[in-house]
Amino acid sequence: MFRKLKIALFSFFREFLVFHHSSLEFRAKLLTAMISAGKGDLECEEKTLEEIAHSIYKNDEIRADILIKTTHEYIEKVKEMNDLDIDELILDIDKNLKKHRKFYSKIDIDILKRFLKCKASTDEKLLRLRIIEFLQNELKESKGKK
């Protein structure tokens, strides 16, 4: 009970309470893009999200749970399409990469490829592959600029 309350508070006030919250939010956006690209196997996507969050933050369960909660918040925004859609999300990821070069190190293509194992339609799989290709190209370009 206390843990859930703590996660809810940290998540709600993450800008003030969570160290490097912008990095966590960037990761949440990457994960949201992959999940929002599919509409099929919610159980697989949720399990994959939890595994990824806990592998990124091995020694910090609270931070992993905040990443999961933040990702869910972005997914809801995409579903509602009031504030965000998948195209705007990708543009926002691109803008964040250009503005904060440190975010390139937060992209782990192998982790994102885990979502390809979840059941999805041909179009959904193709969209996930395109997102991965976009990120791979961004990483290549960033290495060329160093």
Side-chain angles (χ1 to χ4, degrees), residues 85-142:
D85 69 19
I86 190 80
D87 294 329
E88 289 173 350
L89 182 61
I90 299 298
L91 289 171
D92 188 55
I93 288 169
D94 186 47
K95 184 176 83 175
N96 278 303
L97 284 170
K98 304 299 187 244
K99 189 174 178 182
H100 306 283
R101 301 213 31 91
K102 65 182 178 181
F103 287 165
Y104 284 103
S105 67
K106 307 300 177 196
I107 300 172
D108 186 331
I109 299 299
D110 291 331
I111 280 179
L112 298 176
K113 283 183 178 179
R114 292 183 192 181
F115 288 105
L116 296 175
K117 295 177 184 173
C118 296
K119 287 184 224 167
S121 71
T122 303
D123 288 342
E124 292 166 348
K125 285 181 182 180
L126 187 59
L127 181 53
R128 284 183 173 156
L129 285 170
R130 294 291 179 251
I131 292 168
I132 288 170
E133 289 171 0
F134 161 74
L135 294 169
Q136 286 173 323
N137 286 334
E138 289 295 310
L139 287 170
K140 284 179 190 174
E141 284 181 29
S142 77

Side-chain angles (χ1 to χ4, degrees), residues 20-31:
H20 291 301
H21 73 90
S22 60
S23 172
L24 183 140
E25 288 193 21
F26 180 77
R27 282 186 164 130
K29 289 175 184 179
L30 291 173
L31 297 169

Side-chain angles (χ1 to χ4, degrees), residues 3 27 42 52-53 60 66 77 84 98 139:
R3 179 184 164 97
R27 282 186 164 130
L42 299 177
I52 289 169
D60 192 344
I66 293 169
K77 285 183 177 186
L84 193 64
K98 304 299 187 244
L139 287 170

Side-chain angles (χ1 to χ4, degrees), residues 30-42:
L30 291 173
L31 297 169
T32 298
M34 293 303 290
I35 293 170
S36 296
K39 292 174 182 50
D41 195 351
L42 299 177

Side-chain angles (χ1 to χ4, degrees), residues 48-60:
T48 302
L49 171 60
E50 288 179 17
E51 289 171 358
I52 289 169
H54 290 284
S55 70
I56 291 171
Y57 300 116
K58 294 177 193 77
N59 301 320
D60 192 344

